[in-house]
């Protein structure tokens, strides 16, 4: 006899059911009289003129046969306690108790609990006029079963912080007096209700107002004032019960505008010395909002020599009222302007004020004249290296051997030397990478920065960290591993900045040979990124509001593609994780394609499952991946091929696509300390789940925590219950293989078939003979004789057999 192998699987799916029942007093048939006397009513009531029993308290139903639950009687038959003392006996309900508010149950003997106080709500998106709020359910919501309480209602209350907010929200008497459709904002997930007036505009007994009442756990507080700090709390009640106490308080501000000086606002100048200027701050005309939340928190000063074009910057400590600029040159004019910062950031600068430092006695320069802003300085004579105390006779040792003393008062320097004593040259002041100006400042060569031309950068992250003014996006010269300085565009604002932008195009790119030219953000822009080290890649879609997608390499080791690392298999560069702008349900791989048959550049796509193992793509083989997101330039060498043309941004690219203008940049991320990872903008805490992770540390690049069996996701907080959950929620879960699932408080291993008929199949058994589904629960390898999995508690409405 030939045996056949069968595999049995179940698939979970939502199913609805309806239950119908007839009322206890339903009747069908001919009418007849219920009674002729009180005896027919079992002496529990009287017989009416129409032959119906009018039952005494505590009795109901046909011939008063029913006794309301929770009812006791005195010896004389009168009611002692009716419905446990918390209701009335209803004739219309056939002798059932109709409970008073706060009590439920057939005998009204169960008191509805008051919800436990909620923890503080959390704030989601905040705009200039609204705040989105969310909160958890009460911890005792499910005591006795959800059907007991028939749902939970939440009331959100708010208050303007500066108006004075009591810690407990509205008084209990006021809370219980509110109707559920008056003076409320629209709930995010509840029903629509009337709009709330601006918080603080109509003061209640404690300046609190109702924001919304909802059965969901989210609410959008609207109609708020710009740049204002609010206090929110939320309370809950079980339906037919009373509202509990207010939660812990949440302070959340609406967005403010940055402050604006406007051009006619002056700067007040303080004391001036030969090397310093004190700047006294004045508030901007527009502070950017409506309350203390928009008030100025900090000032910064930009200054430069009036003869130069580049500005320097100093930031004052928070709440400082002035800042002294020190280390300035003697008797030199400086242009000065200030900026003010509130919670929204720094705004526009004030108008420019010019101030000159005072002269210095003993520097052998006669300095006299106005310093500006009502100040002046005057010297009649200044003896020293070039003059005697009488200001008449020349000093034979003057000018450091690099000039002559003219008229006994000043040095006339040789070419290449500057300074009062001709003591400075470009080699000494400008580190050999610039020329010295008459005011002793340096004009640096391309790729060298700072006052002495001593600062260099290998990429845009180093530009941001070290180059004066390098926090602004723009063109800079980098050395890229010691190479000759060359131009690149540095994006210093998107996703934390530090991005060296390599290409912008709406077609194909040749990143090994097209190395320079064009304007960043325009079709055809190229930069030489071959020697720029990176472990992060960013894609920007200029045709879709500059949407950005960022990917981090799982390994923190930086790579560069140089002149040889092209067209190799995707596994060469390891796994990559989507940090923003693309699905986190995939691991990703990077291809660097530059060949006569493929010019996709830096090509990022999901690692596609192929059978029971993932497939590593190459530049000319994309693993038949028609599922995962692609980020690539045009994959067709010839425009008329039409198979893989167009540009892909966060869409499957194994097909012909439309043209898009997309930029690609690279970055070497900052190395974060233990217990942190780089989220694409900055170093943040790992946030590993205390239940599902084995450690509080995580991958410094991707934030991935080390998970226990049955826990998945970056923070180990995903707990699938079957293979559909695995497919839809677990990163990499679209690949067939063994996974751990949760059922009935147990965690056990199953094999998930994600290839057949849409996937999601929890595979229960493989055998060529008989199976014992209740007792043979684990063991073997899927697809082999004797394989078993514990499917007893897996809900299903579909079955798969595989021969």
């Amino acid at each position: 006899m030939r045996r056949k192998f069968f595999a049995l699987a179940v698939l979970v799916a939502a199913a609805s059911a309806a239950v119908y029942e007839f009322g206890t007093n339903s009747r069908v048939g001919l009418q007849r009289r219920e009674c002729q006397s009180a005896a027919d009513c079992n002496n529990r009531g009287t017989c009416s003129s129409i032959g119906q029993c009018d039952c005494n308290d505590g009795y109901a139903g046909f011939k008063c046969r029913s006794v309301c639950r929770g009812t006791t009687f005195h010896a004389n038959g009168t009611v002692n306690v009716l419905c446990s003392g918390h209701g009335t006996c209803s004739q219309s309900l056939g002798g059932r108790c109709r409970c008073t508010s706060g009590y439920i149950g057939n005998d009204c003997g169960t008191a509805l609990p008051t919800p436990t106080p909620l923890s503080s709500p959390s704030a989601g998106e905040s705009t200039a006029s609204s705040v989105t709020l969310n909160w958890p359910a009460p911890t005792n919501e499910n005591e006795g079963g959800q059907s007991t309480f028939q749902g939970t209602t939440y009331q959100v209350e708010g208050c303007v912080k500066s108006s004075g907010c009591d810690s407990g929200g509205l008084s209990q008497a006021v809370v219980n007096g509110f109707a559920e459709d008056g003076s409320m904002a629209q709930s995010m997930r509840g029903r629509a209700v009337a709009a709330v007036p601006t918080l603080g505009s109509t003061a209640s007994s404690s300046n609190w107002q109702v924001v919304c009442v909802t059965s969901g756990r989210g609410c959008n507080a609207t109609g708020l004032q710009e740049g204002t700090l609010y206090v929110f709390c939320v309370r809950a009640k079980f339906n037919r019960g009373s509202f509990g106490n207010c939660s812990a308080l949440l302070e959340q501000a609406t967005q403010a505008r940055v402050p604006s000086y406007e051009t006619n606002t002056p700067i007040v100048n303080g004391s001036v010395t030969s090397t310093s200027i004190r700047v006294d701050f004045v508030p901007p005309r527009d502070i950017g909002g409506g309350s203390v939340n928009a008030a100025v928190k900090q000032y910064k000063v930009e200054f430069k020599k009036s003869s130069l074009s580049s500005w320097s910057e100093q930031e004052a400590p928070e709440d400082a009222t002035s800042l002294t600029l020190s280390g300035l040159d003697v008797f030199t004019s400086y242009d000065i302007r200030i900026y003010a910062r509130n919670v929204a950031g720094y705004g526009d600068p004030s108008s420019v004020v010019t101030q000159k430092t005072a002269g210095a006695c003993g520097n052998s320069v006669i300095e006299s004249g106005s310093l500006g802003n009502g100040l002046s300085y005057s010297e009649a004579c200044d003896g020293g290296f070039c003059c005697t105390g009488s200001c008449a006779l020349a000093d034979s040792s003057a000018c450091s051997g690099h000039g002559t003393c003219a008229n006994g008062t000043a040095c006339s320097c040789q070419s290449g030397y500057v300074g009062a004593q001709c003591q400075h040259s470009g080699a000494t002041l400008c580190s050999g990478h610039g020329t010295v100006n008459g005011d002793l400042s340096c004009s640096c060569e391309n790729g060298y920065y700072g006052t002495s031309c001593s600062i260099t950068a290998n990429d845009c992250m180093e530009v941001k960290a070290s180059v004066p003014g390098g926090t602004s996006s723009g063109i800079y010269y980098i050395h890229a591993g010691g190479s000759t300085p060359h131009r690149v565009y540095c994006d210093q604002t998107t996703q934390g900045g530090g991005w060296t932008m390599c290409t912008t195009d709406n077609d194909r790119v040749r990143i090994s040979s097209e190395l320079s030219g064009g304007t960043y953000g325009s079709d055809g822009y190229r930069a030489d990124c071959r020697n720029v080290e990176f472990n992060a890649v960013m894609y920007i879609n200029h045709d879709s509001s500059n949407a950005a997608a960022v990917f981090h390499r799982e390994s923190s080791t930086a790579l560069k593609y140089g002149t040889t690392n092209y067209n190799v298999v995707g596994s060469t560069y390891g796994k990559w994780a989507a940090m923003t702008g693309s699905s986190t349900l995939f691991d990703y791989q990077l291809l660097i394609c530059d060949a006569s048959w493929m010019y996709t550049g830096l090509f990022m796509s999901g690692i596609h499952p192929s059978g029971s193992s993932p497939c590593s793509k190459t530049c000319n083989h994309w693993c038949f991946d028609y599922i995962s997101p692609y980020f690539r330039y045009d994959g067709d060498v010839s425009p008329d091929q039409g198979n893989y043309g167009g540009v892909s941004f966060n869409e499957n690219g194994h097909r012909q696509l439309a043209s898009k203008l997309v930029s690609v940049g690279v970055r070497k991320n900052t190395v974060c300390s233990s217990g942190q990872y780089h989220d694409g903008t900055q170093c943040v805490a790992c946030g590993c789940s205390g239940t599902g992770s084995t450690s509080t540390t995580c991958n410094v690049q991707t934030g991935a925590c080390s998970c226990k069996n049955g826990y998945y996701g970056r923070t180990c907080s995903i707990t699938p219950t079957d293979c559909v959950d695995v497919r839809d929620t677990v990163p990499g879960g679209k690949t067939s293989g063994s996974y751990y699932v949760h059922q009935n408080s147990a965690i056990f291993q199953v094999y998930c078939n994600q290839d057949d008929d849409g996937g999601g199949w929890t595979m229960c058994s493989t055998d060529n003979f008989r199976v014992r589904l209740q007792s043979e629960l684990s063991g073997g390898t899927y697809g082999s004789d004797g394989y078993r999995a514990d499917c007893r508690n897996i809900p299903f409405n579909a079955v798969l057999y595989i021969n």
Side-chain angles (χ1 to χ4, degrees):
M1 175 178 177
R2 184 183 178 187
R3 294 178 174 175
K4 295 183 180 180
F5 281 81
F6 280 90
L8 173 63
V10 295
L11 174 69
V12 69
S16 61
V19 178
Y20 304 94
E21 64 179 8
F22 292 103
T24 57
N25 291 326
S26 298
R27 290 173 170 78
V28 179
L30 299 176
Q31 185 183 28
R32 63 185 177 82
R33 294 176 64 88
E34 184 179 14
C35 65
Q36 293 181 351
S37 66
D40 293 334
C41 299
N42 291 298
N43 292 318
R44 294 177 176 178
T46 59
C47 185
S48 69
S49 59
I50 60 173
Q52 291 183 346
C53 289
D54 292 331
C55 300
N56 298 332
D57 283 347
Y59 301 101
F62 183 69
K63 293 191 176 184
C64 302
R65 291 173 178 171
S66 299
V67 179
C68 279
R69 295 189 182 182
T71 300
T72 60
F73 299 90
H74 293 292
N76 60 5
T78 60
V79 172
N80 180 22
V81 176
L82 183 62
C83 296
S84 303
H86 303 298
T88 59
C89 187
S90 173
Q91 295 290 329
S92 60
L93 295 178
R96 297 177 185 172
C97 287
R98 186 185 299 276
C99 301
T100 57
S101 177
Y103 291 88
I104 59 173
N106 292 330
D107 61 354
C108 300
T110 301
L112 283 170
T114 299
T116 54
L118 304 176
S119 57
S120 173
S122 59
E125 181 180 3
S126 175
T127 70
S129 62
S130 67
V131 172
T132 298
L133 302 168
N134 296 283
W135 54 85
T139 57
N140 64 338
E141 182 179 57
N142 291 319
E143 291 181 5
Q146 181 62 30
S147 61
T148 302
F149 305 143
Q150 297 299 314
T152 304
T153 300
Y154 301 92
Q155 177 168 292
V156 180
E157 298 159 19
C159 174
V160 177
K161 176 69 180 291
S162 60
S163 69
C165 305
D166 298 338
S167 61
L170 290 162
S171 68
Q172 198 69 31
V174 175
V175 167
N176 293 328
F178 272 109
E180 291 193 6
D181 58 356
S183 300
M184 302 168 191
Q186 177 161 337
S187 166
M188 291 179 62
R189 291 186 288 274
R191 56 185 177 80
V193 291
V196 68
T198 302
L199 288 181
S201 63
T202 315
S204 67
S205 59
S206 61
N207 294 328
W208 288 85
Q209 290 186 347
V210 173
V211 175
C212 67
V213 174
T214 176
S215 60
R217 295 204 297 272
C219 171
N220 191 22
T222 60
L224 308 183
Q225 299 175 7
E226 182 179 53
T228 301
L229 182 62
Y230 290 90
V231 181
F232 297 96
C233 73
V234 60
R235 64 177 83 235
K237 74 169 183 177
F238 300 131
N239 286 0
R240 292 191 286 164
S242 300
F243 276 110
N245 292 330
C246 227
S247 67
L249 302 183
L250 167 71
E251 293 187 5
Q252 179 65 31
T254 52
Q255 293 183 4
R257 288 172 287 108
V258 294
S260 175
Y261 266 97
E262 302 185 10
T263 57
N264 61 346
T265 303
I267 296 175
V268 177
N269 291 290
S271 61
V272 175
T273 72
S274 60
T275 58
S276 68
I277 299 172
R278 192 186 80 206
V279 182
D280 293 333
F281 303 136
V282 292
R285 179 166 296 181
D286 178 4
I287 66 172
S291 78
V292 292
N293 187 51
V296 173
K297 306 291 186 184
Q298 194 172 21
Y299 292 89
K300 69 178 178 180
V301 178
E302 285 190 341
F303 63 100
K304 68 179 182 67
K305 293 179 180 179
S306 299
S307 59
L308 301 181
S309 58
S310 61
W311 294 84
S312 297
E313 176 185 295
Q314 284 191 30
E315 192 170 53
E318 288 195 12
D319 300 322
T321 58
S322 66
L323 177 69
T324 298
L325 305 175
S326 57
L328 306 181
D329 288 349
V330 176
F331 210 58
T332 303
S333 291
Y334 286 87
D335 294 337
I336 303 170
R337 62 191 182 190
I338 63 176
Y339 296 76
R341 179 183 69 81
N342 63 9
V343 292
Y346 281 106
D348 296 331
S350 69
S351 57
V352 173
V353 168
T354 300
Q355 179 67 58
K356 195 173 188 179
T357 54
C361 183
N363 64 355
S364 301
V365 179
I366 298 175
E367 298 151 331
S368 298
S370 172
L371 302 180
N373 301 294
L375 301 176
S376 63
Y377 183 84
S378 179
E379 290 179 344
C381 177
D382 197 328
F385 73 92
C386 197
C387 302
T388 65
S390 64
C391 304
L393 301 176
D395 185 344
S396 61
S397 63
C399 306
S400 305
H402 300 297
T404 59
C405 189
N407 300 322
T409 59
C411 286
S412 177
C413 299
Q414 298 171 1
S415 176
Y417 294 88
V418 295
Q421 303 178 52
C422 303
Q423 74 273 37
H424 299 300
S425 69
T428 57
L429 281 184
C430 305
S431 306
H433 297 293
T435 57
V436 65
N437 302 312
D439 61 355
L440 304 185
S441 65
C442 290
S443 295
C444 300
E445 299 171 0
N446 288 337
Y448 298 88
Y449 301 92
T451 56
S452 59
C453 305
S454 59
I455 299 174
T456 61
N458 291 316
D459 55 35
C460 289
M461 184 62 90
E462 291 187 9
V463 168
K464 182 181 179 184
S466 304
V467 172
T471 57
S472 298
S473 297
I475 297 293
Y476 296 88
Y477 283 82
I478 63 172
H479 290 253
S483 62
T484 302
H486 59 280
R487 284 164 51 101
V488 297
Y489 184 90
C490 294
D491 184 334
Q492 308 293 38
T493 57
T494 306
Q495 292 297 312
W499 297 100
T500 305
M501 304 308 296
C502 302
T503 55
T504 303
D505 215 289
N506 65 359
D507 194 9
R508 60 187 64 86
V509 296
R510 298 174 174 85
I511 57 176
S512 64
S513 57
E514 298 174 344
L515 302 177
S516 181
T519 302
Y520 171 70
S522 300
D523 190 17
Y525 166 80
R526 301 290 189 274
D528 185 358
C529 289
R530 294 175 299 174
N531 291 304
V532 177
E533 292 188 336
F534 67 98
N535 52 23
V537 181
M538 177 174 70
Y539 299 83
I540 296 179
N541 186 352
H542 297 287
D543 291 344
S544 181
S545 303
N546 293 324
V550 174
F551 299 85
H552 286 183
R553 191 183 187 198
E554 190 174 83
S555 168
S556 61
T557 303
L559 60 91
K560 59 183 178 181
Y561 49 87
T563 58
T564 58
N565 286 339
Y566 302 99
N567 313 316
V568 298
V569 64
S571 58
T572 302
Y573 305 117
K575 291 182 180 180
W576 296 67
M579 307 305 293
T580 184
S582 189
S583 172
T584 58
L585 291 179
F586 293 90
D587 292 324
Y588 290 82
Q589 59 186 336
L590 176 68
L591 297 174
I592 304 175
C593 301
D594 191 313
S596 59
W597 36 268
M598 187 64 63
Y599 295 115
T600 56
L602 297 182
F603 173 10
M604 191 74 69
S605 64
I607 297 178
H608 181 61
S610 178
S612 60
S613 62
C615 174
S616 293
K617 296 184 178 74
T618 62
C619 290
N620 62 347
H621 177 58
W622 297 354
C623 295
F624 304 101
D625 176 9
Y626 299 100
I627 300 175
S628 78
Y630 283 43
F631 295 81
R632 64 162 177 82
Y633 285 110
D634 195 312
D636 285 338
V637 175
S638 301
D640 58 352
Q641 283 185 295
N643 294 323
Y644 309 107
V647 178
S648 180
F649 182 93
N650 199 25
E651 59 190 319
N652 185 261
H654 203 299
R655 56 196 175 96
Q656 181 74 20
L657 296 169
S659 175
K660 302 177 188 67
L661 188 64
V662 170
S663 289
V664 180
V666 296
R667 180 178 71 188
K668 183 179 178 181
N669 283 335
T670 301
V671 177
C672 301
S673 58
S674 178
Q676 294 184 321
Y677 77 101
H678 202 288
D679 69 350
T681 301
Q682 60 187 344
C683 291
V684 297
C686 291
C688 298
S689 166
T691 302
S693 62
T694 61
S695 172
T696 57
T697 60
C698 62
N699 184 290
V700 296
Q701 276 284 102
T702 65
C705 301
S706 177
C707 299
K708 301 174 183 177
N709 288 339
Y711 296 87
Y712 301 91
R714 188 188 66 76
T715 60
C716 305
S717 58
I718 298 174
T719 54
T721 58
D722 57 27
C723 290
V724 170
D725 262 3
V726 170
R727 180 194 65 191
D728 295 341
T729 65
V730 172
K734 297 182 183 296
T735 302
S736 294
S738 292
Y739 297 88
Y740 285 86
V741 298
H742 296 243
Q743 284 291 345
N744 282 17
S745 302
I747 303 174
F748 53 91
Q749 192 175 35
V750 298
Y751 185 90
C752 294
N753 181 334
Q754 309 293 29
D755 297 314
D756 290 312
D757 199 25
W761 298 98
T762 305
M763 305 307 297
C764 300
S765 59
T766 304
D767 213 289
N768 65 357
F769 192 38
R770 63 176 64 89
V771 295
R772 298 176 177 86
L773 297 178
Q774 296 186 72
S775 56
E776 298 174 343
L777 301 178
S778 181
T781 302
Y782 170 70
S784 300
D785 187 16
Y787 169 80
R788 300 291 187 273
D790 186 356
C791 290
R792 293 175 299 172
N793 293 303
I794 304 290
F796 67 98
N797 60 7
V799 181
L800 172 72
Y801 296 86
I802 299 177
N803 187 348

